[in-house]
Amino acid sequence: MIEPREHLGRYFARLERMQPWRWRGKVLESIGQTVESAGPLASVGEGCEILDQLGKVHLAEVIGFRGSNVLTMPVDSTEGVRFGDAVLALGSGPEMEVGAALMGRVLNALGQPIDGKRPPALKSTLPLDGPVRLPLSRAPIKVPLGTGIRVIDAMLAVGRGQRVGIFGGSGVGKSTMIGMMTRNTEADVTVVGLVGERGREVGEFIEESLGKEGLARSVVIVSTSDQSPIMRMRAALAAATVAECFAEEGKNVLLVLDSLTRFAMAAREIGLAAGEPPTAKGYTPSVFNRLARLVERSGNFLRGSITAFYTVLMEGDDQQDPLVDAVRSLIDGHVVLSRALAAEGWYPPVAVLDSISRLMPAVTTPAHREQAALLRKLIAIHARSEDLIRIGAYKAGADAELDRAIEARPLIRDFLMQATEDRADLTETLRRLAQLAARI
């Protein structure tokens, strides 16, 4: 429980951050989710309140200007807003209260609890769109991080503070893999951001993917698909803000964001509503800037770390999608999920040849890299001649390397496959990898 003195401290700190007066404007027009008003005097990103004629307050955010008029987008909906309603500037951008009391809680994008419990007692406040760390405040990534997923630990090893993308089409298993990582990855704190998620899957993810033990050391931020673009964007920003709070305390944080695509889609809606010109697939220029700012907030720092896993939807399984290509250029490694492998019952359906970890050389031993390279080579040889093998056109003995790859195929498959509920210990994975490399 927070002492009355601490309550007053939070109150006075909030007063210092806010302006001592309230600029006022008037609603002129409302189209879709955008409200245009004459005033108030406010900057882009600043919060506003729209007071309708029934006395209801609609929280909104300034997204741009049209001439001398202000464009805002309500956090919830424009229902009830009328011509002439008052628009009041709050004098500050969106913020979130953070602290240790968030552990084990499920919140919405505004930091309000949605798990049926009392609001957490928190002592500090941070802006949602916080500053990105300076390059020289980051530490080299050299410590390996076990994810509990054998194919990643063996073939695509990641380090503490790395940023990894999980790329796949719809229904291939991105959320399932994220659930495995959330349960199994070694971290002091796990922060999960469910952006634009189906309402049905939120409870399932908490109960099945996290469980009671996982939730106890986690913070879950949720925005569902029916909510406004502002709420969907704020869910991702809130998750990054909470992760930064714990990293500042020197903790190793796992940030899981599902999905980066829905964040970009929400940013696209806001950009188009503000009048930005659309580019490839309708994405506005600011979308890619927002993506870069969000991704750069994770990493390995001189104090604490944020290891981030982001899911990215590949529409039509297209790896050349402009959003997919942009995200791939921002992160430190990508795991591509294959629909063909999923159809064969190969789980996790990781396409090893299309995936890479840029930091694997920095966090693995030479022996580990040689063993992984051998498996990758045999997988590539088999993939090159897979059509010939399937139709029976290849005769054994014609190519010694291909014969070796064919013989090793079932052994490699058994090693890389893993049940959803299984946790692969990093030491045990490396031992099995060494045995398999020696055998094939």
Side-chain angles (χ1 to χ4, degrees), residues 206-439:
I206 293 171
E207 291 180 12
E208 299 175 9
S209 297
L210 281 179
K212 289 186 178 180
E213 290 185 9
L215 181 59
R217 61 182 181 88
S218 302
V219 182
V220 183
I221 312 291
V222 177
S223 70
T224 51
S225 57
D226 62 302
Q227 293 180 333
S228 69
I230 292 286
M231 286 289 278
R232 280 177 271 148
M233 276 195 61
R234 284 191 181 184
L237 297 174
T241 300
V242 173
E244 287 174 336
C245 168
F246 287 109
E248 282 287 345
E249 298 175 0
K251 295 181 179 179
N252 297 311
V253 182
L254 172 66
L255 172 62
V256 177
L257 198 59
D258 185 16
S259 77
L260 211 55
T261 304
R262 298 193 195 107
F263 172 82
M265 288 179 173
R268 176 174 62 184
E269 290 183 50
I270 294 172
L272 291 174
E276 282 191 74
T279 58
K281 288 206 168 181
Y283 288 106
T284 57
S286 65
V287 170
F288 302 101
N289 177 259
R290 291 178 187 268
L291 280 173
R293 283 184 59 85
L294 178 63
V295 171
E296 284 293 332
R297 293 174 71 174
S298 58
N300 191 36
F301 311 116
L302 299 178
R303 177 179 171 83
S305 67
I306 302 175
T307 305
F309 292 107
Y310 305 102
T311 65
V312 181
L313 174 66
M314 295 194 304
E315 297 182 17
D317 296 336
D318 180 14
Q319 292 193 43
Q320 305 308 316
D321 181 277
L323 181 65
V324 171
D325 203 40
V327 173
R328 194 162 45 210
S329 68
L330 296 172
I331 56 181
D332 306 316
H334 54 274
V335 178
V336 179
L337 303 185
S338 166
R339 193 175 297 276
L341 291 178
E344 292 179 18
W346 183 317
Y347 283 95
V350 176
V352 173
L353 299 181
D354 294 330
S355 306
I356 192 170
S357 172
R358 293 190 177 101
L359 293 174
M360 185 171 178
V363 298
T364 55
T365 62
H368 181 181
R369 293 195 292 274
E370 289 177 10
Q371 294 154 6
L374 174 60
L375 264 65
R376 187 179 284 266
K377 174 185 173 183
L378 294 178
I379 293 172
I381 292 173
H382 188 278
R384 233 176 6 244
S385 305
E386 191 167 8
D387 291 339
L388 292 176
I389 298 169
R390 287 184 183 278
I391 65 175
Y394 175 74
K395 301 299 181 182
D399 186 332
E401 286 291 321
L402 183 54
D403 290 341
R404 184 185 180 189
I406 294 172
E407 291 177 8
R409 175 76 169 180
L411 299 176
I412 294 174
R413 178 184 176 124
D414 290 343
F415 174 70
L416 297 182
M417 286 182 63
Q418 181 179 341
T420 305
E421 64 276 6
D422 290 347
R423 183 185 189 279
D425 180 73
L426 179 58
T427 304
E428 177 64 15
T429 294
L430 298 182
R431 186 188 66 79
R432 289 187 57 182
L433 175 63
Q435 289 180 342
L436 176 61
R439 185 175 178 184

Side-chain angles (χ1 to χ4, degrees), residues 4-326:
R5 185 180 303 171
E6 294 179 356
H7 271 300
L8 288 175
R10 293 166 61 195
Y11 172 72
F12 287 124
R14 189 171 186 84
L15 285 181
E16 289 180 2
R17 293 194 304 272
M18 298 183 68
Q19 61 189 19
W21 56 85
R22 302 289 296 275
W23 293 106
R24 190 181 184 95
K26 184 177 71 172
V27 173
L28 298 178
E29 187 177 33
S30 176
I31 300 177
Q33 297 186 79
T34 308
V35 175
E36 184 173 345
S37 61
L41 184 62
S43 58
V44 173
E46 187 174 325
C48 289
E49 289 179 343
I50 302 174
L51 184 64
D52 67 23
Q53 297 183 15
L54 297 178
K56 182 180 178 181
V57 175
H58 302 260
L59 183 64
E61 183 176 315
V62 178
I63 61 172
F65 306 98
R66 181 176 293 135
S68 60
N69 294 336
V70 179
L71 300 177
T72 58
M73 182 174 286
V75 168
D76 290 326
S77 70
T78 57
E79 185 176 351
V81 176
R82 304 180 185 180
F83 176 84
D85 284 347
V87 183
L88 305 174
L90 294 179
S92 63
E95 299 175 329
M96 184 171 184
E97 292 185 321
V98 293
L102 289 177
M103 295 290 286
R105 302 304 302 270
V106 184
L107 313 168
N108 66 11
L110 302 177
Q112 301 165 342
I114 58 173
D115 52 9
K117 301 177 183 178
R118 296 181 62 181
L122 304 168
K123 299 181 181 180
S124 58
T125 304
L126 293 177
L128 285 191
D129 197 6
V132 176
R133 304 280 189 107
L134 296 174
L136 295 183
S137 68
R138 300 173 184 268
I141 298 174
K142 295 182 179 179
V143 180
L145 182 74
T147 64
I149 301 178
R150 197 176 300 113
V151 61
I152 293 180
D153 291 343
M155 308 299 294
L156 306 163
V158 301
R160 182 174 293 164
Q162 187 169 346
R163 301 169 299 201
V164 181
I166 312 296
F167 295 77
S170 57
V172 178
K174 297 185 299 300
S175 297
T176 301
M177 176 168 278
I178 282 293
M180 294 176 69
M181 289 178 169
T182 304
R183 286 194 307 273
N184 302 333
T185 301
E186 304 158 353
D188 300 325
V189 181
T190 301
V191 180
V192 181
L194 302 178
V195 182
E197 189 59 88
R198 305 174 189 88
R200 172 186 62 83
E201 293 187 348
V202 174
E204 292 178 4
F205 180 87
I206 293 171
E207 291 180 12
E208 299 175 9
S209 297
L210 281 179
K212 289 186 178 180
E213 290 185 9
L215 181 59
R217 61 182 181 88
S218 302
V219 182
V220 183
I221 312 291
V222 177
S223 70
T224 51
S225 57
D226 62 302
Q227 293 180 333
S228 69
I230 292 286
M231 286 289 278
R232 280 177 271 148
M233 276 195 61
R234 284 191 181 184
L237 297 174
T241 300
V242 173
E244 287 174 336
C245 168
F246 287 109
E248 282 287 345
E249 298 175 0
K251 295 181 179 179
N252 297 311
V253 182
L254 172 66
L255 172 62
V256 177
L257 198 59
D258 185 16
S259 77
L260 211 55
T261 304
R262 298 193 195 107
F263 172 82
M265 288 179 173
R268 176 174 62 184
E269 290 183 50
I270 294 172
L272 291 174
E276 282 191 74
T279 58
K281 288 206 168 181
Y283 288 106
T284 57
S286 65
V287 170
F288 302 101
N289 177 259
R290 291 178 187 268
L291 280 173
R293 283 184 59 85
L294 178 63
V295 171
E296 284 293 332
R297 293 174 71 174
S298 58
N300 191 36
F301 311 116
L302 299 178
R303 177 179 171 83
S305 67
I306 302 175
T307 305
F309 292 107
Y310 305 102
T311 65
V312 181
L313 174 66
M314 295 194 304
E315 297 182 17
D317 296 336
D318 180 14
Q319 292 193 43
Q320 305 308 316
D321 181 277
L323 181 65
V324 171
D325 203 40

